[in-house]
C-alpha cells in the first residue's frame, strides 16, 4: 500500500463507481443487459471492498510493442498492442499480467482469469482498465482488483469479448470486483 492511500476516500469512490455502473446497466440504451431484463435488474453482485486487492505493481514497458491476437468469445481473434507487463505481489506470491492498448483508449487493458473464474466470477475472465498514461518503464502503478469487471458478453452472448491470454491466468483467487 502506498503512503498517500486514503482508504475512506477510496471506499467512497468505489461505492460511487459501483452505483454508477448499476445505473448504466439498468437503464442506458447501450447497456449489455437485454432490454427485456433491465426492469428486473437490481444491480450487480460484488465482492466486499478489500484494500488488500489494491496492489502496487511495477510496470515494465515493452520497448517494441507487439500486436497480439487474442481469442474472442465469438468471431475472429481481436488484435491488441501488447505494451508491457505488470509485476506484483498478491497473496504472498509474485505474479505478472500482460497489459494491452486498445486503439483510442487512454487506459491499459488487462484481461485476466483467476481461481474464481467459472465459479464465483465470469468463466471467460474479467478485465481491468489501468490508468498508466505516461508510466515510464519500471514505474509503480496501482492495480485495483476491486475494479475488476466482467465483459459485456457475460450479460449477452451477442457481444464478442476478448479472452484473456494464457499468460494472464493467475493461480490465486482474486476475491475482488464483480461476481457472477
Amino acid at each position: 500500500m502506498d503512503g498517500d492511500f486514503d482508504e475512506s476516500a477510496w471506499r467512497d469512490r468505489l461505492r460511487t463507481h459501483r452505483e454508477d455502473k448499476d445505473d448504466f446497466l439498468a437503464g442506458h440504451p447501450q447497456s449489455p443487459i437485454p432490454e427485456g431484463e433491465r426492469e428486473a435488474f437490481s444491480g450487480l453482485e460484488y465482492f466486499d471492498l478489500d484494500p488488500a486487492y489494491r496492489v502496487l505493481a511495477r510496470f515494465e514497458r515493452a520497448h517494441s510493442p507487439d500486436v497480439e491476437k487474442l481469442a474472442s468469445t465469438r468471431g475472429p481473434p481481436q488484435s491488441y498492442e501488447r505494451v508491457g507487463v505488470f509485476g506484483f505481489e498478491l497473496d504472498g506470491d509474485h505474479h505478472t499480467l500482460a497489459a494491452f492498448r486498445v486503439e483510442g483508449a487512454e487506459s491499459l487493458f488487462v484481461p485476466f482469469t483467476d481461481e474464481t473464474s467459472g465459479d464465483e466470477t465470469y468463466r471467460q475472465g474479467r478485465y481491468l482498465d489501468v490508468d498508466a498514461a505516461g508510466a515510464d518503464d519500471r514505474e509503480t502503478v496501482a492495480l485495483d482488483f476491486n475494479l475488476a469487471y466482467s465483459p459485456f458478453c457475460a450479460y449477452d452472448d451477442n457481444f464478442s469479448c476478448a479472452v484473456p491470454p494464457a499468460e494472464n491466468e493467475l493461480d490465486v483467487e482474486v476475491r475482488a470486483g464483480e461476481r457472477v
Side-chain angles (χ1 to χ4, degrees):
M1 206 69 55
D2 55 285
D4 295 337
F5 180 66
D6 179 340
E7 186 175 335
S8 178
W10 169 81
R11 286 181 182 281
D12 289 343
R13 277 192 312 274
L14 266 62
R15 282 188 198 105
T16 298
H17 174 80
R18 289 176 174 187
E19 290 168 6
D20 291 347
K21 180 146 189 188
D22 285 346
D23 288 346
F24 169 83
L25 292 172
H28 195 279
Q30 293 180 326
S31 170
I33 305 289
E35 199 169 323
E37 297 174 23
R38 291 182 193 163
E39 190 173 310
F41 177 74
S42 61
L44 295 175
E45 293 291 324
Y46 295 95
F47 288 102
D48 290 338
L49 294 176
D50 187 344
Y53 287 104
R54 181 186 178 275
V55 299
L56 296 181
R58 184 179 213 166
F59 181 63
E60 292 191 35
R61 186 174 296 281
H63 296 292
S64 55
D66 291 325
V67 173
E68 283 190 30
K69 293 202 179 280
L70 300 183
S72 64
T73 55
R74 60 181 285 146
Q78 301 171 8
S79 297
Y80 294 88
E81 183 181 28
R82 188 180 190 279
V83 295
V85 175
F86 289 104
F88 57 96
E89 301 292 322
L90 183 63
D91 223 16
D93 292 316
H94 183 75
H95 303 277
T96 60
L97 288 172
F100 301 88
R101 183 165 311 281
V102 177
E103 189 174 330
E106 293 182 23
S107 61
L108 299 181
F109 172 60
V110 182
F112 71 96
T113 58
D114 66 278
E115 295 294 316
T116 68
S117 299
D119 183 26
E120 295 178 274
T121 61
Y122 181 55
R123 63 183 164 72
Q124 295 285 7
R126 292 179 289 163
Y127 299 165
L128 282 177
D129 295 323
V130 181
D131 181 12
D136 292 324
D137 192 29
R138 302 188 184 282
E139 183 169 322
T140 300
V141 176
L143 289 183
D144 194 342
F145 289 99
N146 291 279
L147 292 168
Y149 64 96
S150 299
F152 279 5
C153 53
Y155 312 109
D156 186 339
D157 290 335
N158 290 317
F159 285 91
S160 178
C161 303
V163 175
E167 70 181 306
N168 280 12
E169 293 177 10
L170 298 174
D171 60 355
V172 65
E173 288 186 338
V174 178
R175 298 180 55 78
E178 291 181 18
R179 299 177 70 153
V180 173

